[in-house]
Amino acid sequence: MDVFWYALVGLLLAGYLALESIDFGVGMLLPLADTEPGRAGMRRTVVPLFLANEVWLVAFVGLLFGALPLLEGELLYALRLPIVTLLSAWFLRDAALWFRSAHPGAGWRRAWDIVLPVTSLVLAAGWGAVLATLVRGLSTHGNGQAVATAADLAHPLTLLCAALAVAGSLRQGSLFAARGLPRDSALSVRLGRLNRALTPVLLVLLALTAAVGAAVTDAPVAVAVVMALGAAGVCGSGLLQSAGRTKAALLLGAAPLFALPVMVGAANGTTVLATRSGEGELALSLAIADSASLGLLTVTVLPVLIAVVLGQLWIWRVFARATA
């Protein structure tokens, strides 16, 4: 049962990244639209959806607090600087989506048109970097507490996962934003060209991440398998896109983003907070909440999550179609 709750927490984070990758990508691609109607149109493609996507992040944090309370505290301490950066970028990204159209001034809109792609880039790269540090294992202070140092954040695996998250988000964003555009429009041509270029880039990044991840973890086969599944998703997405099945292509195209949190569990098993020295590590058996708390979560949280999934399906069915 402990593994179930740990896996569910990871699944919520993976779902958030898979869905938000579209929002990250569209935000980063805003500069490709060289007209005001084009920029406004790209923004409108994600405005009806991004809050629904963020529900998964809220659910992840809530369940992390309820099911793994000790882990949440350790993560907040160890990753305090990256988390502050991600939170700041999150608030500014949402402000850019909300406030851009709140004032008719050209300078006002240009300012938010800079904020949106920059914060979207920080969010995509930041999540990739944070998850990579957890895959590799954190450093430890002299007092034995786990912490992500500057060297951890600059490690090749961290940089590869950050690049992987950015490239995956750009591919998803380009595919999503191009759905409602005329095929012969300048923006549609740019997005299509970028999407085709990103497919081999993603496959190379997945292969490099698999190689480096296998070299720096104790579970090389598991890490390689997760990255191979991500590569299979990208290949399948490309084939489906060529066949004109955009929705299915988007679903499989989220595989690289989904793979990042899965790789944390594959690399570390039931060690929910790993360190390279072994000091300060946190095992699942110590991090999990007591049985009474888990019983309460079973009867309260699981029904809510089912309702959220159904609501998410309805929102995407209605609003994703409306923005196409």
Side-chain angles (χ1 to χ4, degrees):
M1 198 63 178
D2 294 356
V3 174
F4 166 79
W5 288 106
Y6 180 43
L8 184 57
V9 168
L11 181 63
L12 291 175
L13 179 58
Y16 162 73
L17 292 175
L19 292 170
E20 272 286 84
S21 64
I22 293 174
D23 302 336
F24 298 158
V26 172
M28 287 186 283
L29 291 169
L30 191 69
L32 288 185
D34 52 8
T35 64
E36 172 58 26
R39 289 188 290 272
M42 288 189 70
R43 171 187 165 275
R44 283 197 299 270
T45 62
V46 296
V47 165
L49 301 170
F50 77 97
L51 287 178
N53 296 340
E54 289 173 352
V55 167
W56 295 104
L57 180 60
V58 175
F60 160 73
V61 174
L63 191 59
L64 181 65
F65 177 79
L68 299 160
L70 188 56
L71 175 61
E72 183 178 42
E74 293 291 330
L75 284 175
L76 288 175
Y77 177 82
L79 301 170
R80 55 193 181 278
L81 293 180
I83 287 174
V84 168
T85 302
L86 286 172
L87 286 174
S88 301
W90 179 22
F91 296 153
L92 285 171
R93 193 286 304 265
D94 284 14
L97 289 172
W98 282 119
F99 296 157
R100 184 187 186 277
S101 60
H103 191 279
W108 173 270
R109 294 189 175 188
R110 280 197 300 271
W112 289 117
D113 286 346
I114 294 172
V115 171
L116 181 57
V118 171
T119 53
S120 297
L121 173 63
V122 171
L123 282 168
W127 276 112
V130 163
L131 291 168
T133 62
L134 297 178
V135 169
R136 179 171 171 255
L138 298 170
S139 301
T140 49
H141 274 319
N143 59 7
Q145 279 194 292
V147 65
T149 64
D152 294 330
L153 296 172
H155 189 271
L157 180 63
T158 305
L159 299 178
L160 280 171
C161 288
L164 179 61
V166 170
S169 297
L170 283 170
R171 188 180 183 279
Q172 288 291 88
S174 63
L175 183 57
F176 187 79
R179 297 170 312 136
L181 296 173
R183 287 183 177 272
D184 57 349
S185 69
L187 181 55
S188 179
V189 171
R190 292 190 200 108
L191 292 173
R193 189 181 299 124
L194 176 64
N195 191 282
R196 289 189 295 273
L198 284 169
T199 298
V201 170
L202 266 174
L203 293 175
V204 170
L205 286 172
L206 284 161
L208 291 173
T209 303
V212 176
V216 300
T217 64
D218 294 329
V221 175
V223 169
V225 168
V226 171
M227 291 295 103
L229 291 175
V234 172
C235 292
S237 175
L239 293 174
L240 290 167
Q241 181 186 358
S242 300
R245 299 177 60 185
T246 304
K247 291 181 181 179
L250 280 167
L251 183 63
L252 282 184
L257 281 298
F258 199 88
L260 287 172
V262 173
M263 187 166 58
V264 177
N268 300 320
T270 56
T271 300
V272 296
L273 187 66
T275 63
R276 294 190 304 283
S277 67
E279 189 178 10
E281 286 190 344
L282 185 62
L284 177 59
S285 59
L286 298 176
I288 199 73
D290 59 84
S291 57
S293 298
L294 294 179
L296 181 61
L297 290 175
T298 301
V299 298
T300 56
V301 172
L302 292 184
V304 172
L305 288 179
I306 293 172
V308 168
V309 170
L310 295 176
Q312 186 89 50
L313 291 173
W314 178 83
I315 288 171
W316 272 80
R317 183 179 180 86
V318 173
F319 292 104
R321 180 185 301 170
T323 57

